[in-house]
Amino acid sequence: MAEAIAILALLFVVFVALGVFVTVKAVKAAKRGVDRTITQARRTVEDTTLRAKSYGPGGVKAELAHLRLSLRTSMRATQDALEAVAAEDASVKESLDLFRRLSAHGHELDADLKRLERDPDRGGVAAQLDDLRERTGRIVHSAESLRWAARDRARKFADDDLASLSAQIDVEAGALRHWAGGERDGLDDLSWPEAAPGSASEQVWPEGADAGAGVQVGAEAGAGAGAKAAQRTAEQADGGREASGTETPKAITARDPRQQTTYSWQKSARPETTN
């Protein structure tokens, strides 16, 4: 009894621990989903705000907003492209490491641009615009180089795979055509035999798609024509004998000993014995 209670207590503890573990994992997954949603929403709001500022009247704020928008757009597109290619090509992981290092510089520049947007000294900010444009251009150019290189690599692999697949399909198509040609050559040899001169009018060939029925009708017609020809030959031979006045000798048929009439004075035949 004590052992059963101990087993039940152990099972209860295991189920409780498992429930706690599953609950913690579910809460963490939900928290990550919420954080991701909040981040995407904040990013969308910031991008919309920057786009609105860049389209506004010219000035230091519009220039800073344009630099931030171009930087964020280029970095995000490069990250998405590298992650998509890295899922299929492990050699792109080194490019991802380089992009992470570049992202650190990008985040630093974005933070500087965001801080300068709130700076009240417009003259000092305007003096730094040239340096900020140069830094932004270098980071954007590096990000675009990684992005286009990854895309070119993926396109090259896709073209090679497509070329190999096309070659295999061409070989298979050629094999199928060769096989079909061999069957066609064998079928072309099957032709209808020519009718005999004497029975051409009585021979019936099949018409339509029912080839089996046509062959059977042709065979029966040929057999009937042969029988009629043999009968006609026999009648012509009998007519020739009658016209010449000769009679065909008849064969002598032996008497059947079982049908002969027996008399009382005849001796019965003795059976043959073998000694």
Side-chain angles (χ1 to χ4, degrees):
M1 187 65 181
E3 294 179 354
I5 295 175
I7 292 174
L8 292 176
L10 181 60
L11 291 176
F12 176 76
V13 172
V14 170
F15 282 122
V16 170
L18 183 61
V20 172
F21 176 75
V22 172
T23 303
V24 171
K25 296 291 287 185
V27 170
K28 288 184 178 180
K31 184 179 180 180
R32 285 195 300 269
V34 172
D35 294 339
R36 189 182 302 110
T37 303
I38 293 174
T39 303
Q40 291 178 355
R42 184 183 297 112
R43 183 182 304 165
T44 303
V45 172
E46 290 179 357
D47 291 344
T48 304
T49 304
L50 291 174
R51 189 173 290 107
K53 289 180 179 180
S54 63
Y55 291 155
V60 177
K61 288 187 175 182
E63 185 66 23
L64 293 175
H66 178 71
L67 292 177
R68 288 189 64 192
L69 184 62
S70 62
L71 176 65
R72 293 162 66 94
T73 303
S74 178
M75 296 296 289
R76 190 177 302 117
T78 303
Q79 181 179 3
D80 294 340
L82 291 177
E83 289 178 353
V85 176
E88 300 178 357
D89 189 1
S91 61
V92 187
K93 291 182 178 180
E94 185 177 356
S95 300
L96 277 175
D97 295 336
L98 294 176
F99 176 75
R100 292 189 183 97
R101 295 173 57 186
L102 182 65
S103 296
H105 293 278
H107 287 297
E108 182 180 358
L109 177 59
D110 185 70
D112 291 341
L113 293 173
K114 187 176 182 180
R115 178 178 53 82
L116 290 174
E117 286 181 351
R118 297 188 297 268
D119 195 335
D121 187 6
R122 301 302 178 189
V125 175
Q128 298 179 11
L129 283 178
D130 293 336
D131 182 55
L132 294 174
R133 290 193 191 97
E134 183 182 359
R135 289 176 60 188
T136 305
R138 291 173 61 184
I139 294 176
V140 170
H141 176 71
S142 299
E144 289 179 351
S145 298
L146 285 175
R147 182 172 69 251
W148 287 110
R151 289 178 178 177
D152 292 341
R153 182 180 180 85
R155 187 180 301 108
K156 177 63 177 177
F157 287 164
D159 292 341
D160 293 342
D161 184 66
L162 179 59
S164 176
L165 180 61
S166 298
Q168 295 178 5
I169 291 176
D170 291 340
V171 172
E172 183 66 19
L176 291 175
R177 291 191 184 96
H178 178 72
W179 180 260
E183 288 186 348
R184 187 177 299 278
D185 295 339
L187 293 175
D188 291 340
D189 295 338
L190 299 176
S191 58
W192 290 110
E194 295 182 0
S199 59
S201 60
E202 299 177 359
Q203 193 171 10
V204 180
W205 294 109
E207 296 180 358
D210 194 357
V215 172
Q216 183 177 0
V217 171
E220 293 177 355
K228 290 181 179 180
Q231 184 178 1
R232 190 184 301 108
T233 304
E235 292 177 355
Q236 292 177 358
D238 293 339
R241 294 190 189 95
E242 293 177 357
S244 60
T246 59
E247 295 182 357
T248 303
K250 298 181 180 180
I252 301 175
T253 303
R255 295 181 179 179
D256 189 359
R258 293 175 295 179
Q259 298 179 356
Q260 294 180 359
T261 305
T262 56
Y263 300 96
S264 59
W265 60 82
Q266 289 182 348
K267 296 182 179 180
S268 61
R270 295 179 180 180
E272 296 181 358
T273 59
T274 56
N275 294 329

